Amino acid sequence: MFAEGHGSRPAPLHAVFDDWVRGGLKRDAHLGSIGGGNHFVEVQVVERVLDARTAYAWGVRPGAVCVMVHSGSLGFGHAAAHVLRALAGPAGGHVGMAVPLADAALAHEARTVIANAANFAFVNRALLTLQALDALRRVTGDFSARAVYDAPHNLTWGALHRKGATPARGPGDAALLGTPFEHVGEPVLVPGSMGDRSFLLVGRGCGSSLHSAAHGAGRALARGRAMRDAGVAASLEGVRVVTPVNPRTTRADVWARKRQELAQEAPAAYKAIAATVDTLERAGMALPVAALRPLLTVKG
């Protein structure tokens, strides 16, 4: 099982998030939700093992079925962003992340807000994973499953803010001491697209990249442009898409609009994953461990 997204493993809580958030935000209404955009829950198969030693240490076997989850803190994180903007004041601009660290009280509140959102994201991915495993058991019968890693890619770590990048710490890194990853490096999850593979890599602790790596293939086209590109929509032809809108019984104009929406996440809207993985390897950021082929992708 793999979980990847905004936030990290649970951080200590110093206050209750409700101290800041008002307006009737309901956590339970968001927990277990995938979210929109490029978030997903995907059932995959380990198509190829590229680093047998590391894969064995992590329990990854050729032919094994796995679940990868990419989601974050959803509406909870959105509320956290508003709190951070309020804490930052005019100095934060339209982004609102520039909380004056010299003010100990403000810095403490800002870190607590981020920690709460990270905790929410971690629990949300755990629930999504459990739901996926439960659905698979209903169809296939009982089986054993183990978690491999939960990797954040949008989070502030002290003075380091990783946006669109995931930690890729290498063997012997102080943060990995006492963990199962201290001798090999930490897992790095690089999702592809619905029509391409995803990859599991191992971090190498590259100092010039701040011990970080890319967290995905990246978009080839912005969402708006992808919706208007006929070639992008055509790349959905090889993907069986199931939606609440039935193309055989729905008005042509309604189905055309739905296809435009689907094109935002079509395979051709994303870059080829192989080039990204090759770059990470050549730059010494991370080494590929296994290639994962999608079997079923669920999007919000």
Side-chain angles (χ1 to χ4, degrees), residues 7-53:
S8 180
R9 296 175 295 282
L13 294 180
H14 304 292
V16 178
F17 198 72
D18 290 337
D19 290 348
W20 293 285
V21 176
R22 303 295 181 216
L25 176 70
K26 302 296 185 183
R27 294 189 188 120
D28 290 347
H30 293 259
L31 281 173
S33 301
I34 297 174
N38 62 354
H39 291 173
F40 64 80
V41 175
E42 190 165 88
V43 180
Q44 306 166 332
V45 61
V46 180
E47 185 177 65
R48 194 159 36 110
V49 167
L50 305 164
D51 179 348
R53 173 176 172 269

Side-chain angles (χ1 to χ4, degrees), residues 210-237:
L210 302 179
H211 298 196
S212 306
H215 85 282
R219 296 192 67 90
L221 294 175
R223 297 185 185 280
R225 185 176 171 188
M227 291 175 65
R228 299 188 298 270
D229 192 305
V232 170
S235 71
L236 283 167
E237 296 302 328

Side-chain angles (χ1 to χ4, degrees), residues 193-196 219-221 225-227 229-241 259-271:
S193 70
M194 291 189 291
D196 202 353
R219 296 192 67 90
L221 294 175
R225 185 176 171 188
M227 291 175 65
D229 192 305
V232 170
S235 71
L236 283 167
E237 296 302 328
V239 180
R240 183 186 176 197
V241 179
R259 279 184 59 82
Q260 275 193 318
E261 293 178 2
L262 294 172
Q264 298 180 60
E265 294 300 308
Y270 286 86
K271 299 175 184 175

Side-chain angles (χ1 to χ4, degrees), residues 177-189:
L177 297 180
T179 75
F181 313 108
E182 64 175 306
H183 299 301
V184 293
E186 71 182 320
V188 174
L189 309 180

Side-chain angles (χ1 to χ4, degrees), residues 200-214:
L200 173 64
L201 299 89
V202 60
R204 303 312 296 162
C206 177
S208 60
S209 69
L210 302 179
H211 298 196
S212 306

Side-chain angles (χ1 to χ4, degrees), residues 66-291:
C66 55
V67 174
M68 180 181 285
V69 174
H70 173 210
S71 188
S73 48
L74 309 176
F76 198 82
H78 185 72
H82 281 291
V83 173
L84 290 172
R85 290 189 181 96
L87 290 174
H94 70 284
V95 177
M97 289 296 292
V99 177
L101 296 182
D103 187 320
L106 280 180
H108 173 76
E109 288 198 27
R111 292 191 181 100
T112 305
V113 171
I114 293 170
N116 273 271
N119 289 335
F120 180 96
F122 170 80
V123 173
N124 188 49
R125 289 192 294 275
L127 287 176
L128 287 168
T129 302
L130 292 174
Q131 289 179 62
L133 293 176
D134 179 63
L136 289 173
R137 285 194 176 97
R138 293 184 188 184
V139 176
T140 66
D142 198 18
F143 55 82
S144 61
R146 56 170 294 185
V148 175
Y149 208 51
D150 183 83
H153 67 249
N154 286 349
L155 192 65
T156 298
W157 306 70
L160 175 62
H161 179 212
R162 289 188 175 98
K163 170 64 177 174
T166 188
R169 293 168 290 207
D173 189 289
L176 300 180
L177 297 180
T179 75
F181 313 108
E182 64 175 306
H183 299 301
V184 293
E186 71 182 320
V188 174
L189 309 180
V190 184
S193 70
M194 291 189 291
D196 202 353
R197 292 159 183 77
S198 295
F199 278 80
L200 173 64
L201 299 89
V202 60
R204 303 312 296 162
C206 177
S208 60
S209 69
L210 302 179
H211 298 196
S212 306
H215 85 282
R219 296 192 67 90
L221 294 175
R223 297 185 185 280
R225 185 176 171 188
M227 291 175 65
R228 299 188 298 270
D229 192 305
V232 170
S235 71
L236 283 167
E237 296 302 328
V239 180
R240 183 186 176 197
V241 179
V242 179
T243 79
V245 179
N246 187 333
R248 288 176 292 188
T249 59
T250 303
R251 277 179 13 204
D253 59 327
V254 174
W255 176 240
R257 178 60 184 173
K258 186 63 179 179
R259 279 184 59 82
Q260 275 193 318
E261 293 178 2
L262 294 172
Q264 298 180 60
E265 294 300 308
Y270 286 86
K271 299 175 184 175
I273 187 67
T276 300
V277 172
D278 180 63
T279 299
L280 294 176
E281 182 175 10
R282 287 190 291 107
M285 299 180 193
L287 298 177
V289 174

